[in-house]
Amino acid sequence: MAISAKPLRCVVCVKQVPDTKQITGDAMKPDGTINRAALPAIFNPEDRCALEAALGVRDACGGTVSVVTMGLPSATAILRESLFCGADDAYLVTDRRAAASDTLATSYILSQAVRKFNPDLVFCGRPAIDGDTAQTGPQIGEKLDCAVVTYLEKLELDGDVAIATRDIGTGVETCRAKLPALFTVTEKFGELRPYELRRGMKYKNAEPTILDCAAIGCEDGRCGFAGSPTSVNKIESVVLAGGEFKEVPPTDEGIGGLVSELIKDHTIG
Ligand SMILES: Cc1cc2nc3c(=O)[nH]c(=O)nc-3n(C[C@H](O)[C@H](O)[C@H](O)COP(=O)(O)OP(=O)(O)OC[C@H]3O[C@@H](n4cnc5c(N)ncnc54)[C@H](O)[C@@H]3O)c2cc1C
C-alpha cells in the first residue's frame, strides 16, 4: 500500500451478533423474537475483515484505529477482542433511547458517534449476519456526506485517494475515491490478524469509553422507536423437516432416471 502524506484516522464499526450458524429449533421465542440466550454471541465475521482493513492502513500510513459499536454492555467482548488484535481505542454506544432502532436510526446514531472522530476512512462489514440488510454502512456514509465504496476486497492509497477493488459478483471493479470515504468490507479482504499475547494481557479487563445518545449529539426523534419507520409485519421460524429419501444407483441408468424425475416434477428444466 502506498504511503499517505499524513497519518490517517480510521474508525471501524463492529457489531456483536448471535452466531446464526448454530441455529436450532430453540433459536426463536414463541413471540417471534430471537432467543439470544440460545445462540452464542460472536464478532460479526465481516467486521473482523473491516478491522483488518483499518489495521493495514495504519501499518502502511501511521495514524489510529478506533472501534465503535452500538449495543448492550456485553458487546464489550468484541471491543476487547479488537484491542487484542491492534485497535488503539474502543467505544460503546449504549442507551435505552437507542432500543428498537431499525437501520435508519442505527445508522444515524452510529454516524453521530463516528463524526466525533473526524475520520479519514470508515470501515464497516458488508452485512451483519443477524439483520443481514447491508444497509447500515452505506447509510452511515450518506449521513457523513462522504464517498461510499461497497464490497471492498482490496485497498490501496495514493495520497488522499483510495484505490479500491470491489467484488461485483461476476468479477472485480477498481474505483478511486477521495478521502474521507466509507468502505463496506467483504470476507474476500482477508482474515483478521491473530491476537497479540502482550496486548491480550494488557487489555483483558479493558473497559470501552461509554457514549450515550446525548454525548454524541443525537436528536431524540431520530433514535430508537421514534426514529424507525420500519415496522415488522411478521417473523416466522422456518424449521426444515427431513423428508423421505430415495437411493439412486451410481450408474448411467440411475442418474438418467433421477434427471427425468426432477424434470417431470419441475425441480429442474
Ligand atoms: C423495527 C425494528 C426494531 C429493531 N429493534 C432492535 C432492538 O431493539 N435491538 C437490537 O439490537 N436490534 C434491533 N433491530 C435490529 C437493528 O435495526 C439492526 O440490527 C441494525 O439496524 C443493523 O442492521 P443489520 O443487522 O441489517 O446490519 P447490516 O446493515 O447488515 O450491517 C452492516 C455493517 O454495519 C455495521 N453495524 C451494523 N449494526 C451495528 C451496530 N449496532 N454497531 C456497530 N456497527 C454496526 C457493521 O459494520 C456491520 O457489518 C430492530 C430492527 C427493526 C427493523
Side-chain angles (χ1 to χ4, degrees):
M1 190 182 293
I3 306 294
S4 148
K6 56 165 191 157
L8 295 170
R9 186 98 183 86
C10 299
V11 177
V12 190
C13 294
V14 297
K15 185 180 181 194
Q16 190 180 48
V17 292
D19 186 356
T20 49
K21 284 202 183 122
Q22 311 281 338
I23 277 191
T24 62
D26 300 330
M28 306 296 283
K29 293 187 205 164
D31 65 2
T33 57
I34 293 179
N35 179 9
R36 290 183 189 267
L39 296 170
I42 58 165
F43 200 136
N44 184 52
E46 278 166 320
D47 299 355
R48 297 171 66 85
C49 307
L51 176 57
E52 181 55 38
L55 294 172
V57 170
R58 193 191 59 192
D59 290 346
C61 308
T64 51
V65 174
S66 301
V67 282
V68 178
T69 193
M70 171 179 136
L72 298 171
S74 59
T76 297
I78 60 163
L79 296 177
R80 284 194 187 131
E81 212 174 321
S82 304
L83 292 167
F84 298 165
C85 294
D88 293 289
D89 43 26
Y91 298 81
L92 170 66
V93 182
T94 192
D95 194 318
R96 290 181 71 84
R97 277 167 288 185
S101 292
D102 66 4
T103 56
L104 190 69
T106 301
S107 61
Y108 169 66
I109 297 166
L110 285 170
S111 72
Q112 288 294 102
V114 169
R115 195 188 297 283
K116 291 272 175 208
F117 298 97
N118 195 20
D120 301 294
L121 299 98
V122 182
F123 295 95
C124 292
R126 191 193 65 81
I129 58 169
D130 55 346
D132 208 5
T133 65
Q135 292 172 356
T136 308
Q139 288 186 8
I140 295 172
E142 185 261 335
K143 291 173 181 69
L144 295 175
D145 197 20
C146 66
V148 173
V149 180
T150 52
Y151 293 88
L152 184 76
E153 62 172 66
K154 193 171 158 221
L155 178 64
E156 299 282 326
L157 287 165
D158 179 8
D160 64 350
V161 174
I163 302 156
T165 306
R166 304 179 59 228
D167 176 4
I168 53 167
T170 50
V172 293
E173 175 185 81
T174 301
C175 61
R176 296 167 72 85
K178 196 160 186 320
L179 304 183
L182 179 144
F183 305 86
T184 74
V185 182
T186 71
E187 63 191 3
K188 289 193 182 163
F189 196 93
E191 282 182 20
L192 177 60
R193 61 196 63 189
Y195 288 12
E196 284 180 35
L197 192 56
R198 180 181 52 83
R199 295 183 67 92
M201 297 300 287
K202 182 172 173 189
Y203 292 112
K204 67 177 179 202
N205 297 317
E207 292 297 335
T209 302
I210 305 287
L211 302 170
D212 62 15
C213 290
I216 51 177
C218 291
E219 295 165 29
D220 277 356
R222 297 183 68 181
C223 301
F225 190 68
S228 301
T230 316
S231 75
V232 179
N233 187 30
K234 190 176 174 192
I235 299 178
E236 278 183 85
S237 172
V238 179
V239 180
L240 299 175
E244 60 181 34
F245 72 94
K246 189 172 176 180
E247 252 179 61
V248 176
T251 58
D252 285 350
E253 293 75 36
I255 305 291
L258 174 65
V259 170
S260 305
E261 258 185 64
L262 292 174
I263 291 173
K264 205 167 140 202
D265 71 8
H266 304 294
T267 305
I268 57 172

